[in-house]
Amino acid sequence: RGISSETGEKFFVSLIKHLDKTINVDYAYVGQLIEGERQRVKSIVFYADGEIIDNFEFDLVDTPCADVMHQRICSIPSGVQQMYPKDQLLKDMAIEGYAGTPLFDSKGKVLGIMAILNRQPLTDIKMIESILQIFSVRTAAELERKQAEEALQFTQFAIDHVVDPVAWIGPDARFIYVNNMACSSLGYTRDELLQMFVFDIDTQVSQEKWTDHWIELKQRGSFAFESCHRRKDGTVFPVEITVNYLEFRGKEYNCSIARDITEHKKAEKELHASEERYRAIIEDQT
């Protein structure tokens, strides 16, 4: 109950302290599998002799933690160093007893591990296993939430730093989200753009035409077209826009990616002028 309302780092610290207090062991930790590396774990919180120590990474190969990943729980009341002679960490910490349980996400995928280690043999191993299993349910749920939040933060960071302007637009043509490049290219702050509508910056989309545009978007799903955008200072520049219709949790969105084609248009114009000059020369010669 004491840890149920905590989230994030505070949750894991609170949990590991409760676990240590409940079982009374020398070491307790929660570790997360490192993405892309099935045999490596990074500790989220590590409790050693009554103190939280800095997190670190370690390999699972030749450790009891590796066996935890293949079963519901792994308990070794005593003699763990003899069973895993290649695990140097067990020797350095003089560990005699070990118990660990995997942490599963809502789909049954292993996210990490929760384990206790003790310098003395573990007693009442059935009680320890029961406590680990009880703690692991809440821990796994928080770890899954943590990973989802990190993924969302990474996605947000990636979109914010895309080199092209990206905007999410609602059915009413109001901007719901704009990335950094959208703000930079148009000269508005994010707060300013989020109070505006598409027809405030697009010279070829009026409020009257927006309904037809949205209907076409829903029918086609995705398409590209050329238009012109107006900056805050009043200057206008050509853009190529790709729009995508998306529906999420009952709400509709237009994901718009715009690309400044000023240089492309300039090159097109120069090419056209060159062709005209060449055509004039040929006509003169004939």
Side-chain angles (χ1 to χ4, degrees):
R1 292 179 181 178
I3 61 174
S4 61
S5 61
E6 302 282 4
T7 58
E9 183 179 350
K10 289 183 179 180
F11 164 81
F12 292 109
V13 171
S14 178
L15 171 132
I16 215 68
K17 288 181 178 180
H18 276 70
L19 180 63
D20 178 78
K21 183 179 180 180
T22 303
I23 301 179
N24 190 24
V25 290
D26 297 312
Y27 303 96
Y29 81 92
V30 174
Q32 177 179 353
L33 279 172
I34 297 175
E35 188 174 358
E37 299 186 38
R38 298 181 62 183
Q39 296 296 323
R40 195 164 179 80
V41 165
K42 178 180 180 180
S43 64
I44 297 175
V45 58
F46 200 107
Y47 205 54
D49 294 321
E51 295 183 358
I52 299 294
I53 66 173
D54 293 338
N55 289 319
F56 60 94
E57 298 180 9
F58 62 94
D59 291 321
L60 291 174
V61 179
D62 297 321
T63 72
C65 295
D67 290 336
V68 172
M69 298 301 174
H70 302 294
Q71 55 188 337
R72 287 288 173 180
I73 196 163
C74 176
S75 303
I76 304 171
S78 63
V80 67
Q81 288 188 51
Q82 289 72 35
M83 293 182 64
Y84 299 89
K86 294 182 180 180
D87 190 337
Q88 187 62 42
L89 196 61
L90 295 178
K91 295 179 182 178
D92 294 340
M93 295 191 300
I95 301 302
E96 182 68 20
Y98 172 96
T101 182
L103 302 173
F104 297 97
D105 66 11
S106 55
K107 297 181 180 179
K109 176 185 176 183
V110 177
L111 298 175
I113 184 173
M114 181 169 64
I116 59 169
L117 305 93
N118 205 42
R119 297 189 185 97
Q120 299 299 321
L122 296 174
T123 58
D124 198 352
I125 200 67
K126 291 298 182 183
M127 182 270 291
I128 290 176
E129 289 181 352
S130 296
I131 291 173
L132 280 177
Q133 289 176 331
I134 292 170
F135 274 72
S136 69
V137 174
R138 176 71 172 88
T139 306
E142 182 61 24
L143 182 56
E144 185 173 16
R145 188 202 66 79
K146 174 179 177 290
Q147 290 187 345
E149 186 176 85
E150 289 174 348
L152 182 61
Q153 289 173 348
F154 174 76
T155 301
Q156 182 74 52
F157 175 84
I159 295 176
D160 273 341
H161 292 81
V162 169
V163 297
D164 291 324
V166 178
W168 290 81
I169 304 161
D172 60 353
R174 184 187 290 275
F175 290 110
I176 298 172
Y177 160 83
V178 290
N179 71 346
N180 294 342
M181 185 54 71
C183 299
S184 176
S185 66
L186 293 169
Y188 291 97
T189 66
R190 181 173 278 109
D191 288 340
E192 287 175 328
L193 280 173
L194 295 182
Q195 298 299 317
M196 299 170 65
F197 298 85
V198 171
F199 37 79
D200 291 327
I201 61 102
D202 195 308
T203 64
Q204 298 183 25
V205 177
S206 65
Q207 188 170 1
E208 293 73 24
K209 291 181 178 179
W210 175 255
T211 301
D212 292 335
H213 173 82
W214 188 262
I215 292 173
E216 182 183 6
L217 176 62
K218 290 184 66 173
Q219 290 175 342
R220 298 178 61 181
S222 176
F223 61 92
F225 61 95
E226 292 187 5
S227 189
C228 290
H229 281 176
R230 182 185 293 107
R231 298 186 180 94
K232 187 176 182 179
D233 63 10
T235 57
V236 176
F237 62 101
V239 290
E240 181 183 68
I241 303 173
T242 301
V243 292
N244 301 273
Y245 175 78
L246 298 170
E247 188 173 348
F248 182 69
R249 293 181 177 175
K251 294 185 178 181
E252 298 175 307
Y253 302 93
N254 171 2
C255 178
S256 171
I257 303 173
R259 177 165 297 175
D260 187 336
I261 56 174
T262 301
E263 293 301 318
H264 175 70
K265 287 295 184 181
K266 182 180 178 181
E268 261 188 2
K269 186 176 181 180
E270 292 176 350
L271 177 61
H272 181 70
S274 296
E275 290 175 344
E276 289 297 322
R277 288 195 297 269
Y278 180 72
R279 187 178 292 108
I281 292 172
I282 296 299
E283 289 177 353
D284 288 344
Q285 290 179 346
T286 55

